[in-house]
Amino acid sequence: MFLSLQDPFFDDIGVKSLNYLDTLFQRDNQEKAKFYKEFVSPTMIPFVLPNVFSIAKLCNQAEFEKHIFVHLKSIMSLQEPVQILLIFMQNMELMLKLTSPNDVKIR
């Protein structure tokens, strides 16, 4: 049995993330840069952040720290929109698992 694009399987956030990243990989560098520029606009971050954490689940600690955590540091202090904080809290266990103790600070 074959799946059609209308199948609920393709509505899963993980599948959508992988599909988007697959198409992103095939684009030129300027188009790839647009993906990361969405981290500059706080209103766009809640839409991008779940995909970033879906990718992080597939990473080891070294990959996470080198490719993902460096970008997350700059948005961790944002208070608005509140969805950013919620997404970080929902993924706290994953972040603590993949972040070195030197980078984890309790205030």
Side-chain angles (χ1 to χ4, degrees):
M1 177 182 287
F2 293 100
L3 297 175
S4 71
L5 292 177
Q6 288 78 28
D7 195 282
F9 171 80
F10 293 104
D11 291 332
D12 178 69
I13 187 88
V15 174
K16 286 182 178 184
S17 297
L18 290 174
N19 187 39
Y20 178 77
L21 290 173
D22 183 49
T23 61
L24 184 65
F25 179 74
Q26 298 171 20
R27 297 177 187 182
D28 63 34
N29 288 339
Q30 186 176 17
E31 289 179 282
K32 290 177 187 177
K34 289 179 185 176
F35 175 76
Y36 292 107
K37 287 182 181 177
E38 291 176 357
F39 264 32
V40 176
S41 171
T43 57
M44 290 302 297
I45 292 172
F47 299 102
V48 177
L49 204 50
N51 293 333
V52 172
F53 281 114
S54 292
I55 295 164
K57 290 176 184 175
L58 304 173
C59 295
N60 61 38
Q61 185 176 4
E63 293 167 334
F64 176 77
E65 288 183 343
K66 182 178 179 182
H67 301 290
I68 297 175
F69 189 64
V70 294
H71 298 286
L72 293 180
K73 284 182 183 181
S74 63
I75 62 171
M76 285 182 167
S77 61
L78 295 177
Q79 300 291 316
E80 295 290 328
V82 296
Q83 291 88 346
I84 295 172
L85 295 172
L86 176 63
I87 295 167
F88 273 119
M89 293 303 293
Q90 290 171 336
N91 292 281
M92 188 60 63
E93 186 176 329
L94 175 66
M95 287 182 50
L96 289 172
K97 178 180 135 193
L98 294 174
T99 306
S100 71
N102 296 337
D103 286 323
V104 177
K105 297 178 184 176
I106 299 174
R107 295 181 188 205

